[in-house]
Amino acid sequence: MLTRGPSSTGGVNKGPFLAPQVTVVGAGPIGLAIAWRCAARGLRVVVHDPAPGSGASHVAAGMLAPVAEAYFGEHELTGLLTESARRWPGFAAELTEATGVDIGYRTEGTLMVGLTADDLAEARRLWSYQQGLGLPVSLLRPSQLREREPALAPRVRGGALAATDHQVDPRRLVPALRLAAARAGAVLVTEPVRQLSEPSGGVTVVAAGCGAAALTGLPVRPVKGQVLRLRTPDGGPPGFRHVIRGYADGEHVYLVPRECGEVVVGATVEERTDVAVSAGAVLRLLRAAVDLMPELAEYDLVETIAGLRPGTPDNAPILGPLPGRPDVLAATGHHRHGIVLTPVTADLITGLITGEGTDDPLLTPFRADRFHPDSKEEDLWS
Ligand SMILES: Cc1cc2nc3c(=O)[nH]c(=O)nc-3n(C[C@H](O)[C@H](O)[C@H](O)COP(=O)(O)OP(=O)(O)OC[C@H]3O[C@@H](n4cnc5c(N)ncnc54)[C@H](O)[C@@H]3O)c2cc1C
C-alpha cells in the first residue's frame, strides 16, 4: 500500500487530490481486507493506522475453527463463523494469487482432546452440542488419536476430529492483505483517527479493533489473551500436524503447529486491559501443553506475548451502520474470531458500501443497534 505520513501529500495520482470514497480506520486484518475488496471494486480508499498490524492479529494463533469454537448459546455467531470458514479457501487462493505471499493456510484439521476422565467428560458435552448443530465432529478412540498424532501423550483419554477447522498464520496474512490492498490502489496514512468527522459524502469504516469504543461509543472492550511461541530446536517442522485443542487437568490450551517450526501455545482469557505477561500464565500454558504433547518440553521458548481481543457483550462482531450515522459503518468486536471472520466481514461491509448487500440476512444479528434498544425500529438503510 502506498504510505502517506501526516504531512505528505503522496497518493496514487500526482494530479489533484480526490477525497476518498471509503475511509477505513484500522489496518488490522479486518480493515485491510475491507480496503482490498473496496479498492478492487474501483473505489478510492484511504486506510488510517499509526501502527498497521500491531493489534490483536499480531498475537493471534490464526485458528479458523467454527466447529471447535461453537459454544453453547452462540448459535448465530456459529452460523457466521461457519459461513466465513466456507469462504476461506477461495479467499486464501485469491490473496496468494494477488500477492504471491504464502499466508500459511493449512487444512490438516483440528484434534480436540481430553487428558483425564474429567477433561473428557467436559469436552464430550461440548462435542455432543456441536454434533447436535450438525457440525462435523468425529469421535476418536485413544488409538485412533495416536494413529493421527503419535506425539500425543499416552495419557490422553480420548478426542474428536474437526476436519474442517483449519489455520492460517496471521503474521503472514496481514502483510499479504496490506500488499493486496496497495496493489488494488488503496492508500495508507500512518496517523490515527482521533474522532469521527461530520458526514462528508464518503463512507467511514471503523475497523479499529479495541480502538473502536473511543471513536464510536460501541461496547467493545479489551479481553486480554496471553500466548507463547515455541520453536523446534533444529528449525524443522514440529512433530505434529493438526491443530490440537485440549483440556488438560481443567486447563484449556491449544497448540498450533507451523511449517517453519513454530508452535503457538494459547491462550488465557482475562478481563484485563494490560498486556503484561505473567509467570503464572506461562506456567499454566506450558504445563498443559507439555501434558498433552510431551516433546514440547524440548522446544525453545522464543516468545511470550499478550494481546487484547476486541470483545462485545454477546461475543459477536458489530457489523453495519452506527445508529443515526448511516455514513459510518462498524466492522469491529470480532473478539476471539477476527481471523476466521475476515473474509465474510470484508464481503458484507463491501456489499453495504456498494449497495449490493444491504439486505444480506447474514448481517441482521450483528447490527450495531442491537445494543441500543431505542433505535431498533429506525430504518438505518433509508
Ligand atoms: C491471544 C489471542 C489469540 C487469538 N486467536 C485467534 C484465532 O486463533 N483465530 C481468530 O479468528 N482470531 C483470533 N484472535 C482474535 C483476532 O486476533 C482479532 O479478532 C482480530 O485481530 C481483530 O481484527 P481487527 O482488524 O478488528 O483488529 P486488530 O487486529 O486489533 O487491529 C486493529 C488495528 O486498528 C488500529 N487502530 C486502533 N485505533 C485506531 C485509531 N483511532 N486510528 C487508526 N487506527 C487505529 C490498530 O493500530 C490496529 O492496527 C486472537 C486474539 C488474541 C489476543
Side-chain angles (χ1 to χ4, degrees):
M1 194 173 307
L2 285 171
T3 304
R4 260 191 304 137
S7 58
S8 159
T9 55
V12 183
N13 302 311
K14 294 270 186 249
F17 178 71
L18 293 171
Q21 293 162 304
V22 181
T23 300
V24 180
V25 187
I30 298 296
L32 289 170
I34 293 166
W36 175 35
R37 288 302 198 211
C38 286
R41 300 295 300 271
L43 296 164
R44 286 190 307 279
V45 180
V46 173
V47 184
H48 290 258
D49 196 324
S54 65
S57 69
H58 184 66
V59 178
M63 293 173 291
L64 310 174
V67 175
E69 293 265 339
Y71 292 120
F72 303 102
E74 296 184 350
H75 191 73
E76 284 163 332
L77 175 59
T78 300
L80 192 71
L81 293 171
T82 305
E83 176 54 30
S84 200
R86 194 186 65 74
R87 296 181 193 201
W88 250 102
F91 184 83
E94 228 183 301
L95 188 55
T96 304
E97 166 85 24
T99 62
V101 175
D102 172 4
I103 57 171
Y105 178 61
R106 289 180 58 172
T107 58
E108 288 91 342
T110 296
L111 286 178
M112 305 180 287
V113 302
L115 184 66
T116 66
D118 280 352
D119 292 326
L120 197 55
E122 184 180 350
R124 277 191 176 136
R125 282 192 65 216
L126 187 59
W127 299 337
S128 29
Y129 168 74
Q130 292 161 344
Q131 286 177 318
L133 294 177
L135 296 171
V137 174
S138 321
L139 301 187
L140 299 175
R141 287 191 299 276
S143 60
Q144 295 172 305
L145 272 179
R146 268 178 287 280
E147 269 165 35
R148 288 185 168 270
E149 289 299 0
L152 275 170
R155 279 211 298 142
V156 171
R157 292 289 288 259
L161 173 68
T164 53
D165 278 6
H166 299 154
Q167 64 140 312
V168 70
D169 185 344
R171 290 182 177 179
R172 292 169 177 240
L173 170 69
V174 171
L177 285 170
R178 189 170 165 181
L179 181 59
R183 288 191 171 164
V187 175
L188 177 69
V189 178
T190 53
E191 61 180 3
V193 169
R194 298 193 195 282
Q195 63 180 46
L196 295 176
S197 55
E198 293 304 307
S200 62
V203 174
T204 299
V205 179
V206 180
C210 290
L215 289 172
T216 62
L218 289 169
V220 179
R221 71 181 197 287
V223 180
K224 178 176 172 179
Q226 302 188 49
V227 304
L228 322 172
R229 280 178 168 77
L230 312 180
R231 191 171 286 281
T232 52
D234 63 0
F240 59 102
R241 296 188 58 75
H242 295 79
V243 170
I244 310 289
R245 298 175 63 107
Y247 295 76
D249 280 322
E251 203 69 55
H252 294 195
V253 69
Y254 55 72
L255 315 172
V256 182
R258 307 244 198 261
E259 210 58 61
C260 63
E262 180 179 279
V263 176
V264 184
V265 179
T268 65
V269 180
E270 302 165 69
E271 291 293 341
R272 295 178 62 117
T273 57
D274 64 276
V275 288
V277 175
S278 70
V282 175
L283 178 66
R284 283 195 303 279
L285 288 171
L286 274 182
R287 187 162 44 208
V290 171
D291 279 349
L292 294 179
M293 191 67 73
E295 71 172 45
L296 292 179
E298 310 299 326
Y299 286 31
D300 300 337
L301 173 61
V302 293
E303 185 181 6
T304 59
I305 191 169
L308 301 173
R309 308 171 183 90
T312 61
D314 57 8
N315 297 333
I318 305 173
L319 306 174
L322 297 189
R325 285 295 302 262
D327 61 314
V328 180
L329 304 180
T332 186
H334 291 76
H335 193 32
R336 301 188 309 262
H337 306 117
I339 308 300
V340 62
L341 288 175
T342 292
V344 82
T345 301
D347 291 345
L348 289 171
I349 298 295
T350 305
L352 285 177
I353 292 170
T354 61
E356 290 162 4
T358 49
D359 52 0
D360 194 318
L362 273 176
L363 283 165
T364 312
F366 307 107
R367 290 163 56 132
D369 65 354
R370 71 186 189 274
F371 300 117
H372 296 266
D374 294 347
S375 57
K376 271 243 156 59
E377 301 306 318
E378 198 179 330
D379 182 2
L380 294 163
W381 310 117
S382 61

PDB file of all heavy atoms in Angstrom, residues 166-186:
ATOM      1  N   HIS A 166      -9.465 -25.239  10.104  1.00  0.00           N
ATOM      2  CA  HIS A 166      -8.137 -25.098   9.514  1.00  0.00           C
ATOM      3  C   HIS A 166      -7.330 -24.027  10.251  1.00  0.00           C
ATOM      4  O   HIS A 166      -7.700 -23.615  11.349  1.00  0.00           O
ATOM      5  CB  HIS A 166      -8.286 -24.767   8.025  1.00  0.00           C
ATOM      6  CG  HIS A 166      -9.005 -25.848   7.276  1.00  0.00           C
ATOM      7  ND1 HIS A 166      -9.718 -25.620   6.129  1.00  0.00           N
ATOM      8  CD2 HIS A 166      -9.134 -27.173   7.538  1.00  0.00           C
ATOM      9  CE1 HIS A 166     -10.245 -26.753   5.703  1.00  0.00           C
ATOM     10  NE2 HIS A 166      -9.901 -27.704   6.537  1.00  0.00           N
ATOM     11  N   GLN A 167      -6.239 -23.563   9.662  1.00  0.00           N
ATOM     12  CA  GLN A 167      -5.448 -22.495  10.281  1.00  0.00           C
ATOM     13  C   GLN A 167      -4.741 -21.659   9.219  1.00  0.00           C
ATOM     14  O   GLN A 167      -4.541 -22.094   8.085  1.00  0.00           O
ATOM     15  CB  GLN A 167      -4.416 -23.070  11.268  1.00  0.00           C
ATOM     16  CG  GLN A 167      -3.362 -23.960  10.621  1.00  0.00           C
ATOM     17  CD  GLN A 167      -1.965 -23.729  11.211  1.00  0.00           C
ATOM     18  OE1 GLN A 167      -1.511 -22.592  11.363  1.00  0.00           O
ATOM     19  NE2 GLN A 167      -1.286 -24.832  11.530  1.00  0.00           N
ATOM     20  N   VAL A 168      -4.352 -20.439   9.632  1.00  0.00           N
ATOM     21  CA  VAL A 168      -3.589 -19.528   8.782  1.00  0.00           C
ATOM     22  C   VAL A 168      -2.626 -18.804   9.724  1.00  0.00           C
ATOM     23  O   VAL A 168      -2.861 -18.768  10.938  1.00  0.00           O
ATOM     24  CB  VAL A 168      -4.546 -18.554   8.061  1.00  0.00           C
ATOM     25  CG1 VAL A 168      -5.165 -17.548   9.028  1.00  0.00           C
ATOM     26  CG2 VAL A 168      -3.862 -17.825   6.907  1.00  0.00           C
ATOM     27  N   ASP A 169      -1.550 -18.228   9.181  1.00  0.00           N
ATOM     28  CA  ASP A 169      -0.609 -17.508  10.038  1.00  0.00           C
ATOM     29  C   ASP A 169      -0.922 -16.001   9.965  1.00  0.00           C
ATOM     30  O   ASP A 169      -0.642 -15.356   8.951  1.00  0.00           O
ATOM     31  CB  ASP A 169       0.829 -17.771   9.565  1.00  0.00           C
ATOM     32  CG  ASP A 169       1.861 -17.145  10.491  1.00  0.00           C
ATOM     33  OD1 ASP A 169       1.487 -16.269  11.304  1.00  0.00           O
ATOM     34  OD2 ASP A 169       3.042 -17.527  10.394  1.00  0.00           O
ATOM     35  N   PRO A 170      -1.487 -15.438  11.041  1.00  0.00           N
ATOM     36  CA  PRO A 170      -1.877 -14.014  10.983  1.00  0.00           C
ATOM     37  C   PRO A 170      -0.708 -13.073  10.706  1.00  0.00           C
ATOM     38  O   PRO A 170      -0.899 -11.995  10.142  1.00  0.00           O
ATOM     39  CB  PRO A 170      -2.459 -13.746  12.380  1.00  0.00           C
ATOM     40  CG  PRO A 170      -2.848 -15.093  12.892  1.00  0.00           C
ATOM     41  CD  PRO A 170      -1.853 -16.059  12.312  1.00  0.00           C
ATOM     42  N   ARG A 171       0.507 -13.458  11.093  1.00  0.00           N
ATOM     43  CA  ARG A 171       1.661 -12.586  10.854  1.00  0.00           C
ATOM     44  C   ARG A 171       2.082 -12.606   9.386  1.00  0.00           C
ATOM     45  O   ARG A 171       2.912 -11.813   8.967  1.00  0.00           O
ATOM     46  CB  ARG A 171       2.815 -12.978  11.775  1.00  0.00           C
ATOM     47  CG  ARG A 171       2.512 -12.628  13.226  1.00  0.00           C
ATOM     48  CD  ARG A 171       3.644 -12.957  14.148  1.00  0.00           C
ATOM     49  NE  ARG A 171       3.341 -12.547  15.515  1.00  0.00           N
ATOM     50  CZ  ARG A 171       4.150 -12.730  16.548  1.00  0.00           C
ATOM     51  NH1 ARG A 171       5.315 -13.322  16.365  1.00  0.00           N
ATOM     52  NH2 ARG A 171       3.787 -12.331  17.754  1.00  0.00           N
ATOM     53  N   ARG A 172       1.567 -13.544   8.623  1.00  0.00           N
ATOM     54  CA  ARG A 172       1.760 -13.515   7.163  1.00  0.00           C
ATOM     55  C   ARG A 172       0.519 -12.938   6.478  1.00  0.00           C
ATOM     56  O   ARG A 172       0.619 -12.305   5.435  1.00  0.00           O
ATOM     57  CB  ARG A 172       1.987 -14.936   6.646  1.00  0.00           C
ATOM     58  CG  ARG A 172       3.300 -15.525   7.100  1.00  0.00           C
ATOM     59  CD  ARG A 172       3.313 -17.016   6.782  1.00  0.00           C
ATOM     60  NE  ARG A 172       4.574 -17.597   7.142  1.00  0.00           N
ATOM     61  CZ  ARG A 172       5.379 -18.203   6.289  1.00  0.00           C
ATOM     62  NH1 ARG A 172       5.047 -18.315   5.024  1.00  0.00           N
ATOM     63  NH2 ARG A 172       6.519 -18.706   6.689  1.00  0.00           N
ATOM     64  N   LEU A 173      -0.621 -13.213   7.079  1.00  0.00           N
ATOM     65  CA  LEU A 173      -1.884 -12.755   6.487  1.00  0.00           C
ATOM     66  C   LEU A 173      -1.936 -11.228   6.390  1.00  0.00           C
ATOM     67  O   LEU A 173      -2.299 -10.678   5.339  1.00  0.00           O
ATOM     68  CB  LEU A 173      -3.054 -13.262   7.353  1.00  0.00           C
ATOM     69  CG  LEU A 173      -4.433 -12.681   7.025  1.00  0.00           C
ATOM     70  CD1 LEU A 173      -4.918 -13.177   5.669  1.00  0.00           C
ATOM     71  CD2 LEU A 173      -5.443 -13.052   8.124  1.00  0.00           C
ATOM     72  N   VAL A 174      -1.578 -10.546   7.472  1.00  0.00           N
ATOM     73  CA  VAL A 174      -1.758  -9.087   7.494  1.00  0.00           C
ATOM     74  C   VAL A 174      -0.857  -8.386   6.475  1.00  0.00           C
ATOM     75  O   VAL A 174      -1.343  -7.553   5.700  1.00  0.00           O
ATOM     76  CB  VAL A 174      -1.595  -8.543   8.933  1.00  0.00           C
ATOM     77  CG1 VAL A 174      -1.548  -7.025   8.938  1.00  0.00           C
ATOM     78  CG2 VAL A 174      -2.765  -9.032   9.797  1.00  0.00           C
ATOM     79  N   PRO A 175       0.443  -8.718   6.393  1.00  0.00           N
ATOM     80  CA  PRO A 175       1.251  -8.099   5.329  1.00  0.00           C
ATOM     81  C   PRO A 175       0.725  -8.432   3.931  1.00  0.00           C
ATOM     82  O   PRO A 175       0.789  -7.594   3.029  1.00  0.00           O
ATOM     83  CB  PRO A 175       2.647  -8.693   5.548  1.00  0.00           C
ATOM     84  CG  PRO A 175       2.665  -9.157   6.962  1.00  0.00           C
ATOM     85  CD  PRO A 175       1.264  -9.537   7.302  1.00  0.00           C
ATOM     86  N   ALA A 176       0.199  -9.645   3.754  1.00  0.00           N
ATOM     87  CA  ALA A 176      -0.346 -10.001   2.436  1.00  0.00           C
ATOM     88  C   ALA A 176      -1.554  -9.129   2.115  1.00  0.00           C
ATOM     89  O   ALA A 176      -1.705  -8.639   0.988  1.00  0.00           O
ATOM     90  CB  ALA A 176      -0.723 -11.482   2.403  1.00  0.00           C
ATOM     91  N   LEU A 177      -2.413  -8.916   3.096  1.00  0.00           N
ATOM     92  CA  LEU A 177      -3.588  -8.068   2.869  1.00  0.00           C
ATOM     93  C   LEU A 177      -3.161  -6.631   2.569  1.00  0.00           C
ATOM     94  O   LEU A 177      -3.751  -5.945   1.729  1.00  0.00           O
ATOM     95  CB  LEU A 177      -4.512  -8.099   4.095  1.00  0.00           C
ATOM     96  CG  LEU A 177      -5.330  -9.382   4.270  1.00  0.00           C
ATOM     97  CD1 LEU A 177      -6.007  -9.408   5.639  1.00  0.00           C
ATOM     98  CD2 LEU A 177      -6.381  -9.508   3.165  1.00  0.00           C
ATOM     99  N   ARG A 178      -2.122  -6.196   3.264  1.00  0.00           N
ATOM    100  CA  ARG A 178      -1.634  -4.829   3.051  1.00  0.00           C
ATOM    101  C   ARG A 178      -1.127  -4.673   1.615  1.00  0.00           C
ATOM    102  O   ARG A 178      -1.413  -3.679   0.939  1.00  0.00           O
ATOM    103  CB  ARG A 178      -0.532  -4.547   4.077  1.00  0.00           C
ATOM    104  CG  ARG A 178      -0.097  -3.114   4.097  1.00  0.00           C
ATOM    105  CD  ARG A 178       0.814  -2.851   5.280  1.00  0.00           C
ATOM    106  NE  ARG A 178       1.515  -1.589   5.103  1.00  0.00           N
ATOM    107  CZ  ARG A 178       2.382  -1.095   5.957  1.00  0.00           C
ATOM    108  NH1 ARG A 178       2.648  -1.735   7.081  1.00  0.00           N
ATOM    109  NH2 ARG A 178       2.980   0.058   5.703  1.00  0.00           N
ATOM    110  N   LEU A 179      -0.403  -5.691   1.151  1.00  0.00           N
ATOM    111  CA  LEU A 179       0.121  -5.654  -0.216  1.00  0.00           C
ATOM    112  C   LEU A 179      -1.020  -5.713  -1.238  1.00  0.00           C
ATOM    113  O   LEU A 179      -1.030  -4.973  -2.229  1.00  0.00           O
ATOM    114  CB  LEU A 179       1.091  -6.832  -0.409  1.00  0.00           C
ATOM    115  CG  LEU A 179       1.774  -6.965  -1.755  1.00  0.00           C
ATOM    116  CD1 LEU A 179       2.586  -5.714  -2.085  1.00  0.00           C
ATOM    117  CD2 LEU A 179       2.691  -8.195  -1.777  1.00  0.00           C
ATOM    118  N   ALA A 180      -1.994  -6.585  -0.974  1.00  0.00           N
ATOM    119  CA  ALA A 180      -3.121  -6.722  -1.911  1.00  0.00           C
ATOM    120  C   ALA A 180      -3.897  -5.411  -1.993  1.00  0.00           C
ATOM    121  O   ALA A 180      -4.288  -4.974  -3.088  1.00  0.00           O
ATOM    122  CB  ALA A 180      -4.037  -7.861  -1.464  1.00  0.00           C
ATOM    123  N   ALA A 181      -4.112  -4.776  -0.838  1.00  0.00           N
ATOM    124  CA  ALA A 181      -4.854  -3.516  -0.823  1.00  0.00           C
ATOM    125  C   ALA A 181      -4.083  -2.448  -1.602  1.00  0.00           C
ATOM    126  O   ALA A 181      -4.657  -1.682  -2.379  1.00  0.00           O
ATOM    127  CB  ALA A 181      -5.105  -3.076   0.622  1.00  0.00           C
ATOM    128  N   ALA A 182      -2.763  -2.430  -1.387  1.00  0.00           N
ATOM    129  CA  ALA A 182      -1.935  -1.440  -2.097  1.00  0.00           C
ATOM    130  C   ALA A 182      -1.990  -1.669  -3.598  1.00  0.00           C
ATOM    131  O   ALA A 182      -2.145  -0.727  -4.380  1.00  0.00           O
ATOM    132  CB  ALA A 182      -0.494  -1.540  -1.608  1.00  0.00           C
ATOM    133  N   ARG A 183      -1.861  -2.928  -3.992  1.00  0.00           N
ATOM    134  CA  ARG A 183      -1.878  -3.222  -5.436  1.00  0.00           C
ATOM    135  C   ARG A 183      -3.220  -2.868  -6.065  1.00  0.00           C
ATOM    136  O   ARG A 183      -3.288  -2.541  -7.236  1.00  0.00           O
ATOM    137  CB  ARG A 183      -1.548  -4.696  -5.671  1.00  0.00           C
ATOM    138  CG  ARG A 183      -0.090  -4.977  -5.404  1.00  0.00           C
ATOM    139  CD  ARG A 183       0.334  -6.344  -5.879  1.00  0.00           C
ATOM    140  NE  ARG A 183       1.785  -6.462  -5.775  1.00  0.00           N
ATOM    141  CZ  ARG A 183       2.450  -7.600  -5.824  1.00  0.00           C
ATOM    142  NH1 ARG A 183       1.787  -8.743  -5.976  1.00  0.00           N
ATOM    143  NH2 ARG A 183       3.761  -7.617  -5.724  1.00  0.00           N
ATOM    144  N   ALA A 184      -4.266  -2.922  -5.249  1.00  0.00           N
ATOM    145  CA  ALA A 184      -5.597  -2.562  -5.769  1.00  0.00           C
ATOM    146  C   ALA A 184      -5.798  -1.045  -5.772  1.00  0.00           C
ATOM    147  O   ALA A 184      -6.806  -0.565  -6.272  1.00  0.00           O
ATOM    148  CB  ALA A 184      -6.675  -3.249  -4.944  1.00  0.00           C
ATOM    149  N   GLY A 185      -4.852  -0.289  -5.155  1.00  0.00           N
ATOM    150  CA  GLY A 185      -4.918   1.172  -5.226  1.00  0.00           C
ATOM    151  C   GLY A 185      -5.213   1.875  -3.911  1.00  0.00           C
ATOM    152  O   GLY A 185      -5.309   3.105  -3.871  1.00  0.00           O
ATOM    153  N   ALA A 186      -5.371   1.130  -2.818  1.00  0.00           N
ATOM    154  CA  ALA A 186      -5.652   1.771  -1.525  1.00  0.00           C
ATOM    155  C   ALA A 186      -4.398   2.475  -1.004  1.00  0.00           C
ATOM    156  O   ALA A 186      -3.271   2.060  -1.287  1.00  0.00           O
ATOM    157  CB  ALA A 186      -6.119   0.737  -0.511  1.00  0.00           C
TER     158      ALA A 186
END
